[in-house]
mmCIF file of all heavy atoms in Angstrom:
data_model
loop_
_atom_site.group_PDB
_atom_site.id
_atom_site.type_symbol
_atom_site.label_atom_id
_atom_site.label_comp_id
_atom_site.label_asym_id
_atom_site.label_seq_id
_atom_site.Cartn_x
_atom_site.Cartn_y
_atom_site.Cartn_z
ATOM 1 N N GLU A 1 -70.033 59.178 -113.278
ATOM 2 C CA GLU A 1 -69.137 58.031 -113.248
ATOM 3 C C GLU A 1 -69.962 56.774 -113.051
ATOM 4 O O GLU A 1 -70.987 56.781 -112.304
ATOM 5 C CB GLU A 1 -68.173 58.157 -112.094
ATOM 6 C CG GLU A 1 -67.188 59.328 -112.315
ATOM 7 C CD GLU A 1 -66.194 59.399 -111.180
ATOM 8 O OE1 GLU A 1 -66.227 58.540 -110.346
ATOM 9 O OE2 GLU A 1 -65.416 60.356 -111.204
ATOM 10 N N PRO A 2 -69.636 55.659 -113.728
ATOM 11 C CA PRO A 2 -70.441 54.438 -113.712
ATOM 12 C C PRO A 2 -70.741 53.925 -112.281
ATOM 13 O O PRO A 2 -71.808 53.449 -112.002
ATOM 14 C CB PRO A 2 -69.624 53.451 -114.501
ATOM 15 C CG PRO A 2 -68.724 54.296 -115.308
ATOM 16 C CD PRO A 2 -68.469 55.526 -114.532
ATOM 17 N N GLN A 3 -69.676 53.978 -111.367
ATOM 18 C CA GLN A 3 -69.906 53.369 -110.073
ATOM 19 C C GLN A 3 -70.797 54.218 -109.124
ATOM 20 O O GLN A 3 -71.172 53.790 -108.101
ATOM 21 C CB GLN A 3 -68.583 53.047 -109.428
ATOM 22 C CG GLN A 3 -67.781 54.282 -109.039
ATOM 23 C CD GLN A 3 -66.900 54.723 -110.158
ATOM 24 O OE1 GLN A 3 -67.180 54.450 -111.322
ATOM 25 N NE2 GLN A 3 -65.769 55.379 -109.833
ATOM 26 N N ASN A 4 -71.071 55.400 -109.514
ATOM 27 C CA ASN A 4 -71.815 56.284 -108.639
ATOM 28 C C ASN A 4 -73.122 56.622 -109.312
ATOM 29 O O ASN A 4 -73.263 57.584 -110.033
ATOM 30 C CB ASN A 4 -71.015 57.557 -108.386
ATOM 31 C CG ASN A 4 -71.655 58.422 -107.299
ATOM 32 O OD1 ASN A 4 -72.621 58.008 -106.712
ATOM 33 N ND2 ASN A 4 -71.137 59.595 -107.105
ATOM 34 N N LYS A 5 -74.129 55.765 -109.072
ATOM 35 C CA LYS A 5 -75.422 55.897 -109.775
ATOM 36 C C LYS A 5 -76.246 56.998 -109.115
ATOM 37 O O LYS A 5 -77.145 57.602 -109.722
ATOM 38 C CB LYS A 5 -76.164 54.637 -109.836
ATOM 39 C CG LYS A 5 -75.509 53.569 -110.643
ATOM 40 C CD LYS A 5 -76.364 52.358 -110.786
ATOM 41 C CE LYS A 5 -75.715 51.315 -111.663
ATOM 42 N NZ LYS A 5 -76.478 50.124 -111.809
ATOM 43 N N LYS A 6 -76.026 57.338 -107.810
ATOM 44 C CA LYS A 6 -76.786 58.364 -107.137
ATOM 45 C C LYS A 6 -76.172 59.713 -107.585
ATOM 46 O O LYS A 6 -74.981 59.920 -107.497
ATOM 47 C CB LYS A 6 -76.590 58.208 -105.627
ATOM 48 C CG LYS A 6 -77.582 57.227 -105.026
ATOM 49 C CD LYS A 6 -77.577 57.343 -103.508
ATOM 50 C CE LYS A 6 -78.643 56.439 -102.918
ATOM 51 N NZ LYS A 6 -78.668 56.602 -101.451
ATOM 52 N N ALA A 7 -77.087 60.494 -108.040
ATOM 53 C CA ALA A 7 -76.620 61.858 -108.410
ATOM 54 C C ALA A 7 -76.231 62.639 -107.234
ATOM 55 O O ALA A 7 -76.988 62.741 -106.288
ATOM 56 C CB ALA A 7 -77.770 62.569 -109.159
ATOM 57 N N GLU A 8 -75.070 63.164 -107.248
ATOM 58 C CA GLU A 8 -74.645 64.009 -106.132
ATOM 59 C C GLU A 8 -75.367 65.289 -106.126
ATOM 60 O O GLU A 8 -75.708 65.837 -107.178
ATOM 61 C CB GLU A 8 -73.106 64.242 -106.281
ATOM 62 C CG GLU A 8 -72.276 63.001 -106.124
ATOM 63 C CD GLU A 8 -70.789 63.333 -106.159
ATOM 64 O OE1 GLU A 8 -70.479 64.541 -106.264
ATOM 65 O OE2 GLU A 8 -70.038 62.407 -106.092
ATOM 66 N N PRO A 9 -75.622 65.836 -104.974
ATOM 67 C CA PRO A 9 -76.381 67.119 -104.862
ATOM 68 C C PRO A 9 -75.503 68.222 -105.590
ATOM 69 O O PRO A 9 -74.336 68.243 -105.450
ATOM 70 C CB PRO A 9 -76.479 67.380 -103.414
ATOM 71 C CG PRO A 9 -75.453 66.552 -102.760
ATOM 72 C CD PRO A 9 -75.306 65.354 -103.611
ATOM 73 N N GLU A 10 -76.267 69.040 -106.306
ATOM 74 C CA GLU A 10 -75.577 70.159 -107.015
ATOM 75 C C GLU A 10 -74.958 71.093 -106.015
ATOM 76 O O GLU A 10 -75.549 71.364 -104.946
ATOM 77 C CB GLU A 10 -76.556 70.863 -107.919
ATOM 78 C CG GLU A 10 -77.089 70.016 -109.015
ATOM 79 C CD GLU A 10 -78.056 70.826 -109.937
ATOM 80 O OE1 GLU A 10 -78.272 71.991 -109.584
ATOM 81 O OE2 GLU A 10 -78.531 70.213 -110.872
ATOM 82 N N LYS A 11 -73.870 71.624 -106.357
ATOM 83 C CA LYS A 11 -73.228 72.559 -105.476
ATOM 84 C C LYS A 11 -74.022 73.882 -105.482
ATOM 85 O O LYS A 11 -74.513 74.311 -106.527
ATOM 86 C CB LYS A 11 -71.799 72.937 -106.030
ATOM 87 C CG LYS A 11 -70.849 71.724 -105.891
ATOM 88 C CD LYS A 11 -69.495 72.118 -106.395
ATOM 89 C CE LYS A 11 -68.510 70.969 -106.213
ATOM 90 N NZ LYS A 11 -67.150 71.299 -106.727
ATOM 91 N N ALA A 12 -74.166 74.397 -104.278
ATOM 92 C CA ALA A 12 -74.999 75.651 -104.150
ATOM 93 C C ALA A 12 -74.292 76.754 -104.904
ATOM 94 O O ALA A 12 -73.078 76.963 -104.795
ATOM 95 C CB ALA A 12 -75.129 75.955 -102.716
ATOM 96 N N GLU A 13 -75.046 77.452 -105.696
ATOM 97 C CA GLU A 13 -74.530 78.642 -106.392
ATOM 98 C C GLU A 13 -74.343 79.769 -105.391
ATOM 99 O O GLU A 13 -75.065 79.938 -104.462
ATOM 100 C CB GLU A 13 -75.472 79.065 -107.495
ATOM 101 C CG GLU A 13 -75.555 78.041 -108.582
ATOM 102 C CD GLU A 13 -76.549 78.527 -109.684
ATOM 103 O OE1 GLU A 13 -76.971 79.677 -109.575
ATOM 104 O OE2 GLU A 13 -76.715 77.764 -110.614
ATOM 105 N N PRO A 14 -73.303 80.583 -105.607
ATOM 106 C CA PRO A 14 -73.113 81.773 -104.766
ATOM 107 C C PRO A 14 -74.269 82.694 -104.889
ATOM 108 O O PRO A 14 -74.905 82.769 -105.957
ATOM 109 C CB PRO A 14 -71.838 82.361 -105.284
ATOM 110 C CG PRO A 14 -71.717 81.868 -106.666
ATOM 111 C CD PRO A 14 -72.314 80.492 -106.689
ATOM 112 N N PRO A 15 -74.625 83.382 -103.780
ATOM 113 C CA PRO A 15 -75.710 84.287 -103.850
ATOM 114 C C PRO A 15 -75.507 85.358 -104.911
ATOM 115 O O PRO A 15 -74.417 85.874 -105.107
ATOM 116 C CB PRO A 15 -75.762 84.881 -102.430
ATOM 117 C CG PRO A 15 -74.424 84.697 -101.858
ATOM 118 C CD PRO A 15 -73.932 83.426 -102.520
ATOM 119 N N LYS A 16 -76.573 85.778 -105.595
ATOM 120 C CA LYS A 16 -76.504 86.757 -106.612
ATOM 121 C C LYS A 16 -76.420 88.147 -106.005
ATOM 122 O O LYS A 16 -77.182 88.406 -105.025
ATOM 123 C CB LYS A 16 -77.685 86.695 -107.589
ATOM 124 C CG LYS A 16 -77.713 85.381 -108.321
ATOM 125 C CD LYS A 16 -78.885 85.343 -109.251
ATOM 126 C CE LYS A 16 -78.932 84.003 -110.017
ATOM 127 N NZ LYS A 16 -80.116 83.910 -110.903
ATOM 128 N N PRO A 17 -75.660 89.023 -106.512
ATOM 129 C CA PRO A 17 -75.573 90.386 -105.880
ATOM 130 C C PRO A 17 -76.949 91.101 -106.022
ATOM 131 O O PRO A 17 -77.664 90.924 -107.006
ATOM 132 C CB PRO A 17 -74.544 91.096 -106.791
ATOM 133 C CG PRO A 17 -73.937 90.025 -107.624
ATOM 134 C CD PRO A 17 -74.782 88.872 -107.620
ATOM 135 N N ALA A 18 -77.242 91.892 -105.051
ATOM 136 C CA ALA A 18 -78.471 92.614 -105.063
ATOM 137 C C ALA A 18 -78.477 93.669 -106.164
ATOM 138 O O ALA A 18 -77.396 94.188 -106.499
ATOM 139 C CB ALA A 18 -78.703 93.273 -103.712
ATOM 140 N N GLU A 19 -79.589 93.984 -106.704
ATOM 141 C CA GLU A 19 -79.859 95.040 -107.710
ATOM 142 C C GLU A 19 -79.288 94.642 -109.059
ATOM 143 O O GLU A 19 -79.929 94.879 -110.099
ATOM 144 C CB GLU A 19 -79.238 96.360 -107.259
ATOM 145 C CG GLU A 19 -79.738 96.876 -105.927
ATOM 146 C CD GLU A 19 -81.249 97.138 -106.001
ATOM 147 O OE1 GLU A 19 -81.754 97.494 -107.062
ATOM 148 O OE2 GLU A 19 -81.878 96.977 -104.942
ATOM 149 N N LYS A 20 -78.102 94.046 -109.166
ATOM 150 C CA LYS A 20 -77.433 93.810 -110.423
ATOM 151 C C LYS A 20 -78.164 92.873 -111.346
ATOM 152 O O LYS A 20 -78.257 93.122 -112.572
ATOM 153 C CB LYS A 20 -76.019 93.377 -110.196
ATOM 154 C CG LYS A 20 -75.102 93.563 -111.371
ATOM 155 C CD LYS A 20 -73.681 93.209 -110.969
ATOM 156 C CE LYS A 20 -72.726 93.407 -112.111
ATOM 157 N NZ LYS A 20 -71.364 93.027 -111.787
ATOM 158 N N PRO A 21 -78.631 91.742 -110.886
ATOM 159 C CA PRO A 21 -79.213 90.739 -111.807
ATOM 160 C C PRO A 21 -80.302 91.239 -112.708
ATOM 161 O O PRO A 21 -80.424 90.847 -113.836
ATOM 162 C CB PRO A 21 -79.775 89.644 -110.842
ATOM 163 C CG PRO A 21 -79.045 89.841 -109.570
ATOM 164 C CD PRO A 21 -78.757 91.324 -109.537
ATOM 165 N N LYS A 22 -81.135 92.237 -112.189
ATOM 166 C CA LYS A 22 -82.226 92.707 -113.025
ATOM 167 C C LYS A 22 -81.743 93.308 -114.309
ATOM 168 O O LYS A 22 -82.240 92.984 -115.370
ATOM 169 C CB LYS A 22 -82.994 93.776 -112.190
ATOM 170 C CG LYS A 22 -84.337 94.100 -112.753
ATOM 171 C CD LYS A 22 -85.099 94.988 -111.760
ATOM 172 C CE LYS A 22 -86.489 95.234 -112.217
ATOM 173 N NZ LYS A 22 -87.232 96.109 -111.307
ATOM 174 N N GLU A 23 -80.697 94.149 -114.233
ATOM 175 C CA GLU A 23 -80.185 94.781 -115.429
ATOM 176 C C GLU A 23 -79.500 93.773 -116.317
ATOM 177 O O GLU A 23 -79.617 93.823 -117.527
ATOM 178 C CB GLU A 23 -79.246 95.920 -115.019
ATOM 179 C CG GLU A 23 -79.152 97.029 -116.011
ATOM 180 C CD GLU A 23 -80.458 97.675 -116.305
ATOM 181 O OE1 GLU A 23 -81.058 98.305 -115.386
ATOM 182 O OE2 GLU A 23 -80.967 97.479 -117.442
ATOM 183 N N GLU A 24 -78.747 92.850 -115.677
ATOM 184 C CA GLU A 24 -77.981 91.866 -116.469
ATOM 185 C C GLU A 24 -78.951 90.973 -117.188
ATOM 186 O O GLU A 24 -78.736 90.594 -118.382
ATOM 187 C CB GLU A 24 -77.131 90.985 -115.514
ATOM 188 C CG GLU A 24 -75.902 91.715 -115.028
ATOM 189 C CD GLU A 24 -75.038 90.859 -114.182
ATOM 190 O OE1 GLU A 24 -75.601 89.840 -113.684
ATOM 191 O OE2 GLU A 24 -73.900 91.233 -113.917
ATOM 192 N N SER A 25 -80.093 90.600 -116.608
ATOM 193 C CA SER A 25 -81.069 89.748 -117.278
ATOM 194 C C SER A 25 -81.660 90.472 -118.470
ATOM 195 O O SER A 25 -81.988 89.811 -119.452
ATOM 196 C CB SER A 25 -82.135 89.303 -116.289
ATOM 197 O OG SER A 25 -82.887 90.426 -115.897
ATOM 198 N N ARG A 26 -81.793 91.760 -118.384
ATOM 199 C CA ARG A 26 -82.357 92.474 -119.578
ATOM 200 C C ARG A 26 -81.394 92.487 -120.704
ATOM 201 O O ARG A 26 -81.738 92.353 -121.876
ATOM 202 C CB ARG A 26 -82.657 93.926 -119.092
ATOM 203 C CG ARG A 26 -83.834 94.020 -118.155
ATOM 204 C CD ARG A 26 -84.004 95.454 -117.609
ATOM 205 N NE ARG A 26 -85.008 95.476 -116.582
ATOM 206 C CZ ARG A 26 -85.206 96.491 -115.768
ATOM 207 N NH1 ARG A 26 -84.433 97.589 -115.897
ATOM 208 N NH2 ARG A 26 -86.160 96.481 -114.884
ATOM 209 N N VAL A 27 -80.042 92.675 -120.397
ATOM 210 C CA VAL A 27 -79.063 92.607 -121.499
ATOM 211 C C VAL A 27 -79.076 91.190 -122.063
ATOM 212 O O VAL A 27 -78.985 91.015 -123.275
ATOM 213 C CB VAL A 27 -77.695 92.957 -120.963
ATOM 214 C CG1 VAL A 27 -76.653 92.785 -122.019
ATOM 215 C CG2 VAL A 27 -77.705 94.435 -120.437
ATOM 216 N N SER A 28 -79.199 90.155 -121.184
ATOM 217 C CA SER A 28 -79.256 88.784 -121.629
ATOM 218 C C SER A 28 -80.455 88.551 -122.557
ATOM 219 O O SER A 28 -80.364 87.876 -123.539
ATOM 220 C CB SER A 28 -79.309 87.862 -120.454
ATOM 221 O OG SER A 28 -79.481 86.496 -120.876
ATOM 222 N N ASP A 29 -81.641 89.208 -122.214
ATOM 223 C CA ASP A 29 -82.821 89.099 -123.002
ATOM 224 C C ASP A 29 -82.542 89.636 -124.446
ATOM 225 O O ASP A 29 -82.951 89.073 -125.427
ATOM 226 C CB ASP A 29 -83.973 89.907 -122.421
ATOM 227 C CG ASP A 29 -84.547 89.159 -121.222
ATOM 228 O OD1 ASP A 29 -84.279 88.004 -121.088
ATOM 229 O OD2 ASP A 29 -85.241 89.862 -120.437
ATOM 230 N N GLN A 30 -81.737 90.751 -124.499
ATOM 231 C CA GLN A 30 -81.443 91.314 -125.806
ATOM 232 C C GLN A 30 -80.589 90.335 -126.601
ATOM 233 O O GLN A 30 -80.810 90.152 -127.826
ATOM 234 C CB GLN A 30 -80.598 92.583 -125.625
ATOM 235 C CG GLN A 30 -80.148 93.210 -126.940
ATOM 236 C CD GLN A 30 -78.929 94.080 -126.771
ATOM 237 O OE1 GLN A 30 -78.401 94.175 -125.653
ATOM 238 N NE2 GLN A 30 -78.490 94.700 -127.837
ATOM 239 N N ILE A 31 -79.626 89.650 -126.010
ATOM 240 C CA ILE A 31 -78.784 88.724 -126.674
ATOM 241 C C ILE A 31 -79.566 87.530 -127.183
ATOM 242 O O ILE A 31 -79.504 87.154 -128.331
ATOM 243 C CB ILE A 31 -77.595 88.301 -125.838
ATOM 244 C CG1 ILE A 31 -76.746 89.455 -125.438
ATOM 245 C CG2 ILE A 31 -76.776 87.182 -126.462
ATOM 246 C CD1 ILE A 31 -75.696 89.206 -124.377
ATOM 247 N N THR A 32 -80.355 86.965 -126.312
ATOM 248 C CA THR A 32 -81.067 85.728 -126.669
ATOM 249 C C THR A 32 -82.179 86.013 -127.671
ATOM 250 O O THR A 32 -82.578 85.144 -128.424
ATOM 251 C CB THR A 32 -81.645 85.041 -125.431
ATOM 252 O OG1 THR A 32 -82.467 85.999 -124.733
ATOM 253 C CG2 THR A 32 -80.521 84.606 -124.512
ATOM 254 N N TYR A 33 -82.722 87.252 -127.683
ATOM 255 C CA TYR A 33 -83.731 87.557 -128.730
ATOM 256 C C TYR A 33 -83.141 87.448 -130.101
ATOM 257 O O TYR A 33 -83.674 86.819 -130.984
ATOM 258 C CB TYR A 33 -84.234 88.965 -128.540
ATOM 259 C CG TYR A 33 -85.046 89.473 -129.741
ATOM 260 C CD1 TYR A 33 -86.374 88.998 -129.936
ATOM 261 C CD2 TYR A 33 -84.512 90.285 -130.666
ATOM 262 C CE1 TYR A 33 -87.085 89.361 -131.081
ATOM 263 C CE2 TYR A 33 -85.200 90.683 -131.811
ATOM 264 C CZ TYR A 33 -86.519 90.225 -131.959
ATOM 265 O OH TYR A 33 -87.186 90.581 -133.050
ATOM 266 N N SER A 34 -81.955 87.979 -130.290
ATOM 267 C CA SER A 34 -81.242 87.916 -131.557
ATOM 268 C C SER A 34 -80.950 86.516 -131.912
ATOM 269 O O SER A 34 -81.144 86.040 -133.051
ATOM 270 C CB SER A 34 -79.960 88.753 -131.574
ATOM 271 O OG SER A 34 -79.305 88.623 -132.792
ATOM 272 N N GLN A 35 -80.495 85.715 -130.953
ATOM 273 C CA GLN A 35 -80.235 84.309 -131.185
ATOM 274 C C GLN A 35 -81.441 83.535 -131.518
ATOM 275 O O GLN A 35 -81.425 82.677 -132.426
ATOM 276 C CB GLN A 35 -79.472 83.710 -129.946
ATOM 277 C CG GLN A 35 -78.072 84.286 -129.804
ATOM 278 C CD GLN A 35 -77.459 83.801 -128.454
ATOM 279 O OE1 GLN A 35 -78.148 83.452 -127.549
ATOM 280 N NE2 GLN A 35 -76.129 83.797 -128.447
ATOM 281 N N ARG A 36 -82.509 83.792 -130.770
ATOM 282 C CA ARG A 36 -83.772 83.089 -131.053
ATOM 283 C C ARG A 36 -84.291 83.428 -132.442
ATOM 284 O O ARG A 36 -84.793 82.532 -133.140
ATOM 285 C CB ARG A 36 -84.857 83.466 -130.002
ATOM 286 C CG ARG A 36 -84.666 82.836 -128.656
ATOM 287 C CD ARG A 36 -85.944 82.919 -127.827
ATOM 288 N NE ARG A 36 -86.362 84.280 -127.656
ATOM 289 C CZ ARG A 36 -86.020 85.121 -126.683
ATOM 290 N NH1 ARG A 36 -85.149 84.714 -125.782
ATOM 291 N NH2 ARG A 36 -86.494 86.347 -126.606
ATOM 292 N N LEU A 37 -84.088 84.654 -132.851
ATOM 293 C CA LEU A 37 -84.558 85.045 -134.172
ATOM 294 C C LEU A 37 -83.809 84.319 -135.274
ATOM 295 O O LEU A 37 -84.320 83.702 -136.171
ATOM 296 C CB LEU A 37 -84.415 86.588 -134.392
ATOM 297 C CG LEU A 37 -84.696 87.132 -135.795
ATOM 298 C CD1 LEU A 37 -86.186 86.961 -136.088
ATOM 299 C CD2 LEU A 37 -84.306 88.598 -135.928
ATOM 300 N N LYS A 38 -82.470 84.241 -135.053
ATOM 301 C CA LYS A 38 -81.607 83.596 -136.037
ATOM 302 C C LYS A 38 -81.771 82.062 -136.070
ATOM 303 O O LYS A 38 -81.521 81.453 -137.074
ATOM 304 C CB LYS A 38 -80.141 83.895 -135.710
ATOM 305 C CG LYS A 38 -79.773 85.354 -136.003
ATOM 306 C CD LYS A 38 -78.323 85.639 -135.624
ATOM 307 C CE LYS A 38 -77.959 87.104 -135.850
ATOM 308 N NZ LYS A 38 -76.602 87.391 -135.466
ATOM 309 N N GLN A 39 -82.276 81.475 -134.960
ATOM 310 C CA GLN A 39 -82.498 80.056 -134.927
ATOM 311 C C GLN A 39 -83.872 79.679 -135.357
ATOM 312 O O GLN A 39 -84.176 78.450 -135.506
ATOM 313 C CB GLN A 39 -82.228 79.568 -133.483
ATOM 314 C CG GLN A 39 -80.764 79.655 -133.074
ATOM 315 C CD GLN A 39 -80.546 79.385 -131.582
ATOM 316 O OE1 GLN A 39 -81.512 79.087 -130.889
ATOM 317 N NE2 GLN A 39 -79.310 79.542 -131.140
ATOM 318 N N SER A 40 -84.760 80.661 -135.583
ATOM 319 C CA SER A 40 -86.115 80.364 -135.939
ATOM 320 C C SER A 40 -86.199 79.853 -137.350
ATOM 321 O O SER A 40 -85.387 80.279 -138.218
ATOM 322 C CB SER A 40 -87.023 81.600 -135.724
ATOM 323 O OG SER A 40 -86.613 82.649 -136.671
ATOM 324 N N SER A 41 -87.185 79.023 -137.664
ATOM 325 C CA SER A 41 -87.343 78.465 -138.983
ATOM 326 C C SER A 41 -87.640 79.493 -140.036
ATOM 327 O O SER A 41 -87.137 79.441 -141.181
ATOM 328 C CB SER A 41 -88.379 77.373 -138.964
ATOM 329 O OG SER A 41 -89.631 77.919 -138.571
ATOM 330 N N HIS A 42 -88.515 80.513 -139.687
ATOM 331 C CA HIS A 42 -88.839 81.534 -140.683
ATOM 332 C C HIS A 42 -87.642 82.409 -141.014
ATOM 333 O O HIS A 42 -87.470 82.884 -142.156
ATOM 334 C CB HIS A 42 -90.034 82.331 -140.242
ATOM 335 C CG HIS A 42 -89.788 83.258 -139.034
ATOM 336 N ND1 HIS A 42 -89.769 82.773 -137.757
ATOM 337 C CD2 HIS A 42 -89.527 84.529 -138.989
ATOM 338 C CE1 HIS A 42 -89.509 83.785 -136.940
ATOM 339 N NE2 HIS A 42 -89.405 84.907 -137.617
ATOM 340 N N PHE A 43 -86.702 82.693 -140.035
ATOM 341 C CA PHE A 43 -85.479 83.411 -140.331
ATOM 342 C C PHE A 43 -84.551 82.614 -141.216
ATOM 343 O O PHE A 43 -83.976 83.158 -142.146
ATOM 344 C CB PHE A 43 -84.799 83.791 -138.996
ATOM 345 C CG PHE A 43 -83.588 84.611 -139.229
ATOM 346 C CD1 PHE A 43 -83.615 85.968 -139.558
ATOM 347 C CD2 PHE A 43 -82.306 84.067 -139.105
ATOM 348 C CE1 PHE A 43 -82.499 86.752 -139.760
ATOM 349 C CE2 PHE A 43 -81.173 84.829 -139.320
ATOM 350 C CZ PHE A 43 -81.246 86.164 -139.616
ATOM 351 N N GLN A 44 -84.405 81.352 -140.909
ATOM 352 C CA GLN A 44 -83.526 80.504 -141.701
ATOM 353 C C GLN A 44 -84.046 80.369 -143.178
ATOM 354 O O GLN A 44 -83.249 80.286 -144.079
ATOM 355 C CB GLN A 44 -83.355 79.147 -141.028
ATOM 356 C CG GLN A 44 -82.594 79.258 -139.688
ATOM 357 C CD GLN A 44 -82.438 77.910 -139.008
ATOM 358 O OE1 GLN A 44 -82.640 76.900 -139.588
ATOM 359 N NE2 GLN A 44 -82.051 78.022 -137.715
ATOM 360 N N LYS A 45 -85.404 80.312 -143.299
ATOM 361 C CA LYS A 45 -86.003 80.278 -144.645
ATOM 362 C C LYS A 45 -85.651 81.589 -145.359
ATOM 363 O O LYS A 45 -85.330 81.588 -146.553
ATOM 364 C CB LYS A 45 -87.485 80.078 -144.526
ATOM 365 C CG LYS A 45 -88.260 80.151 -145.881
ATOM 366 C CD LYS A 45 -87.841 78.999 -146.829
ATOM 367 C CE LYS A 45 -88.782 78.887 -147.981
ATOM 368 N NZ LYS A 45 -88.879 80.048 -148.833
ATOM 369 N N PHE A 46 -85.818 82.684 -144.665
ATOM 370 C CA PHE A 46 -85.500 84.046 -145.267
ATOM 371 C C PHE A 46 -84.051 84.059 -145.620
ATOM 372 O O PHE A 46 -83.683 84.577 -146.752
ATOM 373 C CB PHE A 46 -85.841 85.075 -144.265
ATOM 374 C CG PHE A 46 -85.646 86.504 -144.836
ATOM 375 C CD1 PHE A 46 -86.679 87.145 -145.503
ATOM 376 C CD2 PHE A 46 -84.451 87.195 -144.651
ATOM 377 C CE1 PHE A 46 -86.488 88.416 -146.066
ATOM 378 C CE2 PHE A 46 -84.275 88.487 -145.136
ATOM 379 C CZ PHE A 46 -85.254 89.083 -145.875
ATOM 380 N N GLN A 47 -83.145 83.553 -144.786
ATOM 381 C CA GLN A 47 -81.677 83.561 -145.082
ATOM 382 C C GLN A 47 -81.417 82.772 -146.365
ATOM 383 O O GLN A 47 -80.618 83.193 -147.198
ATOM 384 C CB GLN A 47 -80.932 82.927 -143.911
ATOM 385 C CG GLN A 47 -80.778 83.890 -142.743
ATOM 386 C CD GLN A 47 -79.904 83.222 -141.687
ATOM 387 O OE1 GLN A 47 -80.119 82.135 -141.255
ATOM 388 N NE2 GLN A 47 -78.938 83.972 -141.191
ATOM 389 N N SER A 48 -82.045 81.605 -146.430
ATOM 390 C CA SER A 48 -81.894 80.739 -147.617
ATOM 391 C C SER A 48 -82.295 81.498 -148.888
ATOM 392 O O SER A 48 -81.598 81.478 -149.880
ATOM 393 C CB SER A 48 -82.622 79.439 -147.428
ATOM 394 O OG SER A 48 -82.483 78.592 -148.556
#
């Protein structure tokens, strides 16, 4: 907002559950690999 030039501190994120994030991050790696491939210039050239 214009009148509030000082950035308010970010709200603290809730603590991540133990054990779970490791597996979730691996699945996320799988998703983002495919997305990174599709967004790469050599893939888009191949698509074209």
